[in-house]
């Protein structure tokens, strides 16, 4: 249901140009750099002290008389990828938690769990057993899986439509900041030593405690309050705080319109929403967007960057400084995306990102193959790798979450975010397990495996995903419906233009009874 055109025209100058108010900016920064930062930090933190963790595991294996290299390699790989398996579990918990406890309640509960997991990790060097460390990483992954979905969900529902993209991508800025800080603190001069690596793993507990004190003072999502809790007065109060003005009637009316439009979806359970015909297109879009994000090849880079950078003239320790420089460029690129996504649009940035990744999958393969004979091409490979990473964070990295949140109305949004998180973490886990094995077998040609998937993602987004900037959630739903109807009409006109094609050798000779032979136009 759309707003009346005359009414929309009258209110658009004020309503569609909301300013970034101080309360909204403060909440965004505190939430992202308190919660999303933990996700990014934990994502990378075991990479640098891997050799120290290996020494600790050796002690346990000697005690159990199971010491051998295959077992050690398996345990180290498991320690790394168990985090993603925890993310899979956590992402599946988001929807029931967000709809039962509320968006804010989910964030509070998760930070309490994150504090407990940080304490567990802090005792890793005291307990001296790989079972304990792996379990602690699993618990940390569950927290990150919830946060990676709950934070964008909350941000999408408190942001005005003209700032929604920039505010949501701040979560990815915080994730990249967490990765960068874990890389810096993991250096041997800081916390990357044998005595301090457990402290390195548990530092996120400080942020979790900070969030536990601050988040209860945050307001609940106004959309959740009005549409799912039927508390209009509380939603109005929250909007007045977020928008820093008294008159929020226009936004309240939009929420009422969305409430009416999704009557049928409200009564459905999570599983029924996933099977609901009216959401089938959005469900497919979520799966393909997240699959495209993971199959750019970026997970291979993030998991094994140090391995890729390490060469005969650059040892593993020095390569860490190059990784830190790369992460700095990634962070700067994400800041650019956050600043420009609401002006340049989602489609332009994500298509440009997939185009860069598609191109540099091929160039990286060529440069890696030739650098064995031409030594100076090693430098070119590093430049190509950096451009590839920047291309990923320009669009495929941060923007699928934004688009997914915008494809759904209020009651089904948590289901869409949950599904996106599940696909993200599941593919992250799969690539983390198999990519190194592929690298060992086919070497520099491994990037070519991702090239057709990048191209396919580019084509899919170009043909199916509309531009969603500056639009309300209801307008985006109507836009998807209009595009579907247009496609059906095009197919119908194509069939009707030659209803007897294939009959009597393709001649337009009218038979005696045509009703049983004329192809029917698909129903809406």
């Amino acid at each position: 249901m759309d707003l009346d055109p005359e009414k929309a025209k009258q209110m658009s100058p004020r309503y569609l140009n909301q300013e970034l108010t101080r309360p909204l900016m403060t909440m965004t920064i505190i939430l992202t750099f308190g919660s999303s930062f933990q996700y990014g930090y934990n994502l990378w933190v075991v990479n640098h002290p891997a050799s120290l963790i290996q020494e600790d595991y050796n002690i346990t294996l000697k005690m159990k008389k199971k010491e051998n290299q295959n077992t050690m390699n398996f345990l180290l790989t498991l320690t790394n990828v168990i985090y993603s398996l925890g993310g899979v579990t956590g992402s599946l918990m988001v929807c029931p938690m967000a709809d039962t406890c509320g968006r804010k309640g989910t964030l509070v509960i998760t930070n309490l769990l994150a504090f407990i997991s940080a304490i567990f990790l802090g005792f890793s060097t005291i307990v001296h057993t790989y079972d304990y460390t792996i379990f602690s990483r699993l618990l940390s992954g569950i927290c990150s899986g919830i946060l990676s979905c709950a934070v964008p969900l909350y941000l999408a529902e408190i942001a005005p439509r003209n700032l929604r993209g920039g505010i949501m991508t701040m979560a990815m800025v915080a994730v990249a900041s967490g990765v960068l800080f874990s890389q810096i603190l993991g250096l041997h001069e800081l916390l990357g030593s044998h005595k301090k690596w457990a402290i390195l793993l548990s530092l996120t507990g400080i942020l979790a405690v900070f969030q536990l004190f601050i988040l209860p003072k945050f307001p609940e999502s106004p959309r959740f309050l009005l549409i799912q809790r039927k508390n209009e007065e509380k939603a109005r109060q929250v909007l007045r705080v977020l928008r820093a003005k008294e008159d929020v009637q226009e936004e309240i009316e939009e929420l009422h319109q969305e409430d009416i439009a999704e009557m049928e979806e409200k009564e459905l359970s999570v599983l029924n929403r996933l099977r609901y015909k009216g959401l089938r297109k959005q469900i497919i879009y979520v799966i393909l967007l997240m699959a495209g994000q993971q199959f750019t090849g970026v997970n291979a880079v993030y998991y094994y960057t140090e391995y890729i950078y390490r060469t005969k003239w650059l040892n593993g320790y020095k390569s860490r400084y190059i990784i830190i420089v790369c992460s700095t460029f990634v962070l700067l690129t994400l800041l650019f995306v956050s600043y420009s996504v609401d002006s340049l649009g989602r489609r332009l940035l994500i298509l440009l990102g997939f185009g860069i990744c598609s191109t540099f999958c091929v160039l990286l393969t060529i440069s890696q193959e030739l650098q064995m004979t031409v030594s100076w091409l090693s430098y070119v490979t590093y430049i190509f790798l950096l451009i590839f990473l920047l291309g990923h964070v320009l669009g495929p990295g941060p923007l699928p979450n934004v688009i997914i949140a915008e494809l759904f109305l209020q009651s089904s949004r948590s289901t869409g975010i949950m599904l996106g998180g599940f696909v993200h973490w599941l593919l992250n886990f799969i690539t983390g397990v198999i990519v190194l094995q592929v690298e060992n077998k086919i070497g520099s040609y491994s990037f070519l495996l991702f090239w057709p998937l990048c191209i396919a993602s580019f084509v899919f987004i170009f043909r199916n995903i509309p531009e969603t900037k500056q639009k309300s959630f209801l307008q985006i739903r109507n836009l998807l419906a209009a595009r579907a109807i247009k496609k059906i009409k095009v197919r119908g006109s194509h069939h009707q233009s030659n209803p007897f094609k294939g009959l009597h050798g393709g001649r337009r000779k009218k038979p005696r009874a045509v009703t049983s032979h004329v192809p029917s136009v698909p129903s809406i």
Side-chain angles (χ1 to χ4, degrees):
M1 184 175 184
D2 283 324
L3 290 170
D4 180 70
E6 288 298 322
K7 192 171 186 180
K9 186 177 179 181
Q10 292 174 5
M11 74 184 196
S12 61
R14 278 190 303 145
Y15 184 49
L16 299 184
N17 294 285
Q18 298 276 9
E19 295 181 357
L20 180 60
T21 61
R22 182 173 293 180
L24 181 59
M25 180 177 65
T26 303
M27 288 171 57
T28 301
I29 292 174
I30 290 175
L31 177 61
T32 55
F33 282 87
S35 295
S36 296
F37 185 96
Q38 295 180 51
Y39 161 35
Y41 186 94
N42 288 325
L43 180 66
W44 189 273
V45 73
V46 299
N47 285 31
H48 282 354
S51 59
L52 304 176
I53 296 174
Q54 182 175 351
E55 291 177 16
D56 198 64
Y57 285 1
N58 271 328
I59 297 173
T60 308
L61 290 173
K62 286 179 180 178
M63 290 172 60
K64 295 184 177 183
K65 298 181 180 180
K66 296 180 180 179
E67 186 179 9
N68 66 74
Q69 191 58 43
N70 289 334
T71 304
M72 178 58 65
N73 291 338
F74 171 77
L75 289 175
L76 289 174
T77 301
L78 183 61
T79 304
N80 210 335
V81 301
I82 199 71
Y83 179 74
S84 296
L85 188 59
V88 172
T89 307
S91 63
L92 292 174
M93 298 166 61
V94 168
C95 184
M97 287 179 68
D99 290 341
T100 304
C101 306
R103 279 52 170 156
K104 183 181 77 170
T106 300
L107 292 168
V108 173
I109 294 170
T110 307
N111 274 280
L112 177 60
L113 186 62
F115 174 66
I116 295 172
S117 70
I119 292 176
F120 275 37
L121 287 167
F123 285 100
S124 295
T125 52
I126 298 175
V127 176
H128 276 307
T129 172
Y130 55 79
D131 313 80
Y132 178 87
T133 304
I134 291 172
F135 172 76
S136 301
R137 278 289 286 174
L138 176 64
L139 192 60
S140 177
I142 292 173
C143 298
S144 294
I146 299 173
L147 291 175
S148 67
C149 298
V151 172
L153 177 62
Y154 183 80
L155 293 177
E157 295 183 4
I158 66 172
R161 67 170 83 172
N162 63 306
L163 300 175
R164 189 190 304 131
I167 287 176
M168 287 190 68
T169 50
M170 279 301 296
M172 282 302 298
V173 172
V175 170
S177 300
V179 170
L180 179 60
F181 268 77
S182 70
Q183 291 169 350
I184 294 172
L185 294 177
L187 295 173
H188 181 74
E189 296 88 343
L190 297 175
L191 296 178
S193 63
H194 186 73
K195 294 182 179 180
K196 299 177 181 177
W197 69 265
I199 299 174
L200 176 69
L201 298 183
S202 63
L203 278 181
T204 52
I206 298 173
L207 288 175
V209 171
F210 173 72
Q211 293 282 279
L212 287 173
F213 279 106
I214 297 295
L215 285 178
K217 300 177 183 178
F218 276 34
E220 183 54 89
S221 157
R223 291 180 169 275
F224 177 80
L225 289 170
L226 192 148
I227 298 176
Q228 293 179 263
R229 287 290 184 263
K230 304 301 181 185
N231 192 338
E232 180 180 335
E233 187 55 37
K234 186 66 176 177
R236 191 183 298 273
Q237 293 174 9
V238 172
L239 283 173
R240 284 171 177 164
V241 172
L242 292 174
R243 307 296 180 250
K245 62 180 183 181
E246 287 296 314
D247 183 12
V248 293
Q249 184 58 34
E250 294 164 356
E251 202 159 352
I252 291 290
E253 288 179 9
E254 181 190 301
L255 296 184
H256 280 301
Q257 298 246 349
E258 187 174 333
D259 187 20
I260 295 170
E262 63 165 6
M263 281 294 184
E264 191 173 354
E265 295 174 26
K266 289 180 186 177
E267 307 302 323
L268 300 175
S269 65
V270 175
L271 290 177
N272 286 335
R273 284 180 200 147
L274 294 174
R275 296 194 297 258
Y276 178 50
K277 189 175 180 180
L279 293 174
R280 189 171 299 164
K281 184 184 291 289
Q282 288 92 319
I283 295 299
I284 294 172
Y285 287 177
V286 169
I287 294 172
L288 294 180
L289 277 170
M290 278 302 179
Q293 179 198 65
Q294 295 302 299
F295 287 137
T296 56
V298 72
N299 286 325
V301 175
Y302 279 142
Y303 270 114
Y304 306 110
T305 302
E306 191 171 316
Y307 170 79
I308 292 172
Y309 278 127
R310 196 181 300 130
T311 62
K312 293 179 181 178
W313 53 270
L314 187 66
N315 61 42
Y317 188 74
K318 290 180 180 179
S319 68
R320 296 180 183 180
Y321 291 98
I322 296 182
I323 296 170
I324 290 172
V325 172
C326 288
S327 295
T328 303
F329 279 108
V330 165
L331 179 58
L332 293 175
T333 304
L334 280 168
L335 287 170
F336 166 78
V337 172
S338 184
Y339 178 78
S340 61
V341 65
D342 288 309
S343 56
L344 295 179
R346 285 75 156 136
R347 266 176 63 88
L348 175 62
L349 289 174
I350 199 168
L351 287 173
L352 181 61
F354 272 112
I356 292 173
C357 290
S358 302
T359 303
F360 281 87
C361 277
V362 178
L363 294 179
L364 272 169
T365 302
I366 296 171
S367 65
Q368 282 185 292
E369 186 67 18
L370 294 179
Q371 74 180 20
M372 302 301 293
T373 54
V374 184
S375 59
W376 58 266
L377 276 176
S378 298
Y379 298 98
V380 177
T381 300
Y382 304 146
I383 294 172
F384 284 173
L385 197 59
L386 175 60
I387 297 174
F388 177 90
L389 289 174
L390 298 184
H392 179 80
V393 298
L394 193 63
L399 295 186
N401 270 336
V402 178
I403 296 172
I404 289 170
E406 293 176 329
L407 292 177
F408 294 87
L409 297 182
Q410 179 62 33
S411 297
S412 54
R413 185 170 299 114
S414 58
T415 304
I417 292 284
M418 178 199 74
L419 178 62
F422 172 75
V423 175
H424 166 90
W425 285 101
L426 179 63
L427 295 180
N428 194 292
F429 172 74
I430 292 171
T431 53
V433 171
I434 68 173
V435 76
L436 188 58
Q437 310 305 321
V438 173
E439 177 77 24
N440 290 334
K441 292 182 183 298
I442 64 176
S444 59
Y445 292 98
S446 57
F447 276 102
L448 282 183
L449 294 176
F450 300 104
W451 178 75
L453 299 173
C454 285
I455 294 292
S457 299
F458 181 94
V459 173
F460 164 75
I461 292 169
F462 181 79
R463 296 186 61 181
N464 295 284
I465 302 297
E467 180 54 71
T468 57
K469 70 173 183 177
Q470 308 289 345
K471 292 181 176 65
S472 69
F473 296 119
L474 189 54
Q475 286 174 335
I476 294 168
R477 173 63 65 87
N478 291 337
L479 178 60
L480 291 174
R483 287 166 66 95
I485 293 172
K486 185 178 179 180
K487 287 182 180 180
I488 291 173
K489 287 182 177 179
V490 170
R491 293 196 198 105
S493 63
H494 174 72
H495 286 306
Q496 290 178 349
S497 65
N498 190 359
F500 305 109
K501 184 177 181 180
L503 297 176
H504 307 290
R507 292 175 292 166
R508 296 178 63 99
K509 181 178 179 181
K510 187 175 181 179
R512 285 191 299 272
V514 299
T515 53
S516 60
H517 298 284
V518 179
S520 61
V521 180
S523 60
I524 297 176

